[in-house]
């Protein structure tokens, strides 16, 4: 009697990639995120937008699984668009701004998470996007620290402050350690001085040399000297390349 061979096990099909909408007025950030997230099996960018109005129209048209939304954009900014966008899809704030009021307002208006550029790796971003899709909030250390500082400022010294639910189970001490291990270590590898880091922040925000000189109370020549040193340390030759590396999208 012949024994039939067992049927080979068929692996379960891979889940379809998460469909993402990227809304950011900075073309370097948009291009970097789209290249990173569309080059994977588990995520793809189905649309881009340069302001809140475009984001809303694109979300209506493409029905993404998650919207990655910047805060500061010309026209309709991210905070203004947020209450309308959260009705269409979960929203992850993915931005350069970590002012306390901005973080609080974004979460109050329904953002599922708040990630600050430079404080996460690509894998951490993808994991955060998936978690937000499933209703599990994510806040990177810079945003969490801003909220905790506000919490401490508004709490009497003898009280035991309750950590907001959206910070998860991390204690303030753990979040402080996370801040130093993630946010700082990411950029510390570039070994920029404090002044160079400040100027790189301004470059990434889109400022010209003239505007940077005015903001830092230094001459344009000094700005150029700093930029030359920054480019050497970041191993880049253009502002867009440097900004992409600094923001963690290269």
């Amino acid at each position: 009697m012949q024994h039939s061979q067992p049927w080979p096990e068929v692996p379960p099909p891979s889940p379809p990639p998460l469909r993402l909408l990227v809304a950011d007025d900075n073309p370097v950030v948009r291009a970097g995120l789209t290249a990173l997230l569309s080059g994977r099996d588990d995520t793809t960018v189905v649309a881009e937008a340069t302001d809140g109005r475009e984001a809303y129209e694109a979300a209506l048209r493409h029905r993404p699984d998650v919207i990655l939304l910047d805060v500061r954009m010309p026209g309709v900014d991210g905070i203004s668009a947020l209450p309308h966008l959260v009705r269409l899809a979960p929203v992850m704030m993915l931005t350069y701004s970590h002012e306390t009021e901005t973080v609080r307002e974004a979460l109050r208006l329904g953002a599922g998470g708040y990630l600050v550029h430079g404080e996460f790796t690509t894998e951490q971003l993808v994991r955060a996007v998936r978690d937000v899709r499933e209703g599990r909030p994510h806040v990177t250390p810079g945003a969490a620290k801003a909220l905790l500082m506000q919490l401490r400022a508004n709490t009497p010294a003898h009280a035991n402050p309750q950590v907001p639910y959206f910070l998860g189970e991390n204690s303030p001490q753990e979040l402080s350690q996370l801040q130093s291990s993630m946010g700082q270590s990411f950029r510390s590898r570039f070994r920029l001085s404090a002044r160079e880091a400040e100027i790189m922040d301004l470059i990434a925000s889109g400022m010209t040399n003239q505007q940077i000189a005015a903001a830092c109370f230094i001459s344009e020549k000094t700005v150029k000297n700093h930029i030359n040193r920054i480019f050497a340390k970041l191993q880049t030759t253009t502002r867009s390349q440097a900004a992409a590396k600094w923001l963690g999208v290269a």
Side-chain angles (χ1 to χ4, degrees):
M1 181 176 176
Q2 286 186 331
H3 293 284
S4 59
Q5 293 293 323
W7 289 97
E9 287 190 15
V10 178
S14 300
L18 272 183
R19 302 170 69 256
L20 308 175
L21 163 61
V22 174
D24 196 303
D25 65 307
N26 188 326
V28 174
V29 174
R30 277 201 321 277
L33 287 171
T34 299
L36 282 177
L37 297 170
S38 291
R40 301 174 58 95
D41 294 332
D42 51 359
T43 55
T44 187
V45 175
V46 295
E48 298 179 23
T50 61
D51 71 358
R53 184 181 301 279
E54 279 188 20
Y56 183 75
E57 292 169 353
L60 280 174
R61 191 160 57 249
H62 295 277
R63 295 292 174 172
D65 295 315
V66 177
I67 299 168
L68 303 181
L69 183 65
D70 188 21
V71 170
R72 293 198 181 96
M73 294 181 286
V76 180
D77 63 45
I79 297 296
S80 300
L82 184 55
H84 309 284
L85 292 172
V86 294
R87 297 174 190 157
L88 303 177
V91 177
M92 166 77 80
M93 306 306 292
L94 186 58
T95 180
Y96 201 65
S97 169
H98 52 70
E99 287 87 354
T100 306
E101 287 306 318
T102 304
V103 179
R104 288 185 62 191
E105 187 68 1
L107 295 170
R108 186 183 72 81
L109 291 172
Y114 200 108
L115 272 64
V116 178
H117 285 299
E119 294 187 350
F120 54 86
T121 65
T122 304
E123 292 303 323
Q124 288 166 340
L125 170 61
V126 171
R127 188 167 66 247
V129 167
R130 287 203 166 278
D131 282 350
V132 166
R133 175 74 177 90
E134 299 299 323
R136 294 187 294 271
H138 259 264
V139 182
T140 49
K145 185 178 179 184
L147 289 166
L148 286 166
M149 287 173 65
Q150 171 99 19
L151 194 66
R152 289 168 180 158
N154 294 340
T155 304
H158 62 273
N160 183 20
Q162 295 295 310
V163 176
Y165 75 94
F166 43 72
L167 298 186
E169 298 177 354
N170 293 316
S171 69
Q173 291 79 12
E174 287 169 334
L175 283 165
S176 296
Q177 291 165 4
L178 197 60
Q179 166 73 12
S180 59
S181 64
M182 280 181 63
Q184 294 173 11
S185 65
F186 174 83
R187 289 178 174 172
S188 63
R189 63 195 173 104
F190 298 129
R191 300 187 182 280
L192 300 193
S193 68
R195 175 61 101 180
E196 288 165 355
E198 179 185 13
I199 289 173
M200 191 58 242
D201 281 338
L202 299 177
I203 291 172
S205 72
M207 280 194 180
T208 65
N209 286 5
Q210 186 177 19
Q211 291 169 328
I212 293 171
C216 297
F217 299 99
I218 56 180
S219 69
E220 281 189 64
K221 183 180 178 182
T222 302
V223 172
K224 288 176 183 175
N225 291 338
H226 281 303
I227 290 174
N228 287 337
R229 286 194 290 272
I230 290 168
F231 283 2
K233 290 180 179 180
L234 269 61
Q235 297 183 334
T236 56
T237 55
T238 67
R239 296 169 90 89
S240 60
Q241 289 174 354
K245 273 198 174 183
W246 191 243
L247 295 174
V249 296

